[in-house]
Every structure is written in C-alpha cells, then in structure tokens.
Amino acid sequence: MTTLSSAPVAPLLTRLFAEADANPPTRSPVFAGTTGDGHQLMMRSKTEYRDFYAKLKDYALAVSPEVGGLLYMLARATNARAVVEFGTSFGLSTIYLAAALRDNGGGQLITSEFEPAKIARAKANLAEAKLVDLVEFREGDALKTLAVDLPETIDLLLLDGAKALYSDILDRVEDRLRPGAILIADNADYCPEYLERVGDVANGYMSMPFTDDVELSIRLG
Ligand SMILES: C[S@@+](CC[C@H](N)C(=O)[O-])C[C@H]1O[C@@H](n2cnc3c(N)ncnc32)[C@H](O)[C@@H]1O
C-alpha cells in the first residue's frame, strides 16, 4: 500500500474529484459570452490573469486524476524531497505530490496561490489528508512569493497557475533546479514562450509533450 492508495488520501481524492465534476468551471460567468478567441486571449494574457482567476475562485480547476497519478509517480521515481508548485487551487495536485513526499520518507513542498479562500480550502484538504506538515503555503502572486526563500535544490516543479507566466516563474526557480529535476507544465500550449525555452537543449532542458496537454521536461546537468 501507498499513502496515495490508502485512507485518508484515496477516499478524500475520490470525494474532491466528484465535487469538482459537479461544479465545472464552464458554469462560471467568465465563460458565458466569451468566444473561443476571447478565452484564448485571456489564457495567454500576462496582465489580466488576476481578475480572470478571481472570477474562478469557487472552482477546483484541478489536474485530472491521471495527471495526478503521473505527478505521484514522477516524484516517487526521482525520490523527490523538494517540490515547488505554481497554482495550488483546492490542493488536489498538492495532495498527490505531498503523498509522494511522505512515501519518499519526507521533504518539503512549497505551493503558491493568490486567492485567500482557495488557500484556506487547500489547507483544510491537506489537513484531512494528514499531509499538511509537508506543505508550505505561500499566499500572494507567485511572481513574488516564489522569488525568495527557495530550497537549495529543487527536485520537481509543477507549473499549473496562470499559463502566460510559466517562463517568468521558471526565471525565479531555475538556478535551484538540480540536474535531472523534473518539470511538469499543465496546459503549456498556452505559453509558447515556455515551450520554446524548454524545447531547446541549448537552454539546458530536454522536453516533450506528454499526456492531457502536459509538457514534461528535465533540467540537464
Ligand atoms: C489550474 S488551477 C491549479 C489547480 C491545482 N494545481 C490542482 O490540480 O488542484 C490554477 C490556480 O493558480 C492560481 N494562480 C494563477 N496565477 C497565479 C499567480 N500568479 N500567483 C498565485 N496563484 C496563481 C489560480 O488562482 C488558480 O487557483
């Protein structure tokens, strides 16, 4: 058995995904009256993301269970001890990553979110999962909160906040990524700047599109 496959984590994730499915973000007024092009523009904006996500504060916007499983496996496979997450929301991906840290023997997960109500929900979920001791919640814009006080070396980086900022967040953590560190970027298609950067071996990365819009990369030595 693993932390992920046993109680309290497994039944908690089942419940949280069921709640997320019952309240899809497509119900939000953000999407009502927005054309496909308008949505694309919003997702790619480096200036309007705060307002966009404020309107989505009641929605989980979580990774899929498959991507969650992938996060757990990658963190286990690399024996990750130091993990940084951009975009906490209700903490579903955080639970997968913290479960992996527990099963690796412990570690530190720094996660970042600017919606105070989401931080509160994520803390409650991580407490219910009995994983909250492994997680440091940083409230505020990750452009600032992830610019300071990072671990000496980072084993795994999850990018799942405002898509347009992926390369800017990478700027803040790059010098701490250990050789072989894993980078997982959800919906990275919205950030061509990021894909171009990790897609060029001259920049010190090897990268490929994986599943469910996930870009999987490693930091080269
Ligand atoms: C897609 S959701 C994250 C889902 C979460 N990773 C999961 O799988 O459960 C993105 C979250 O990032 C937050 N966010 C977006 N841009 C941010 C920023 N610049 N700083 C902090 N939080 C941000 C949003 O409020 C939103 O809750």
Side-chain angles (χ1 to χ4, degrees), residues 38-119:
H39 178 68
Q40 287 273 338
L41 277 175
M42 211 122 68
M43 293 291 281
R44 289 168 190 255
S45 170
K46 282 199 184 194
T47 52
E48 287 170 46
Y49 62 88
R50 189 71 183 81
D51 187 45
F52 177 70
Y53 282 103
K55 289 180 182 147
L56 291 169
K57 68 178 171 33
D58 297 322
Y59 299 91
L61 311 173
V63 295
S64 65
E66 291 73 25
V67 171
L70 176 70
L71 294 176
Y72 177 86
M73 287 171 64
L74 289 171
R76 290 300 309 274
T78 54
N79 196 25
R81 298 298 180 120
V83 174
V84 173
E85 175 177 52
F86 170 44
T88 318
S89 195
F90 297 171
L92 277 75
S93 51
T94 320
I95 291 174
Y96 283 96
L97 290 166
L101 287 184
R102 179 75 80 222
D103 292 340
N104 284 345
Q108 180 191 20
L109 197 175
I110 295 171
T111 187
S112 51
E113 172 60 56
F114 50 30
E115 283 303 327
K118 284 192 154 184
I119 290 261

Side-chain angles (χ1 to χ4, degrees), residues 5 16 23 35 56 59 62 84 91 94 101-102 116 136 141 148 162-163 177 205 210 218:
S5 58
L16 293 176
N23 186 30
T35 61
L56 291 169
Y59 299 91
V84 173
T94 320
L101 287 184
R102 179 75 80 222
E136 180 187 332
D141 194 318
V148 290
K163 312 304 161 195
L177 293 172
Y205 297 95
F210 203 62
I218 65 162

Side-chain angles (χ1 to χ4, degrees), residues 159-179:
L159 296 169
D160 195 21
K163 312 304 161 195
L165 302 182
Y166 283 4
S167 193
D168 301 83
I169 297 293
L170 186 54
D171 285 341
R172 278 137 182 91
V173 306
E174 186 171 65
D175 65 348
R176 301 296 172 99
L177 293 172
R178 73 158 166 82

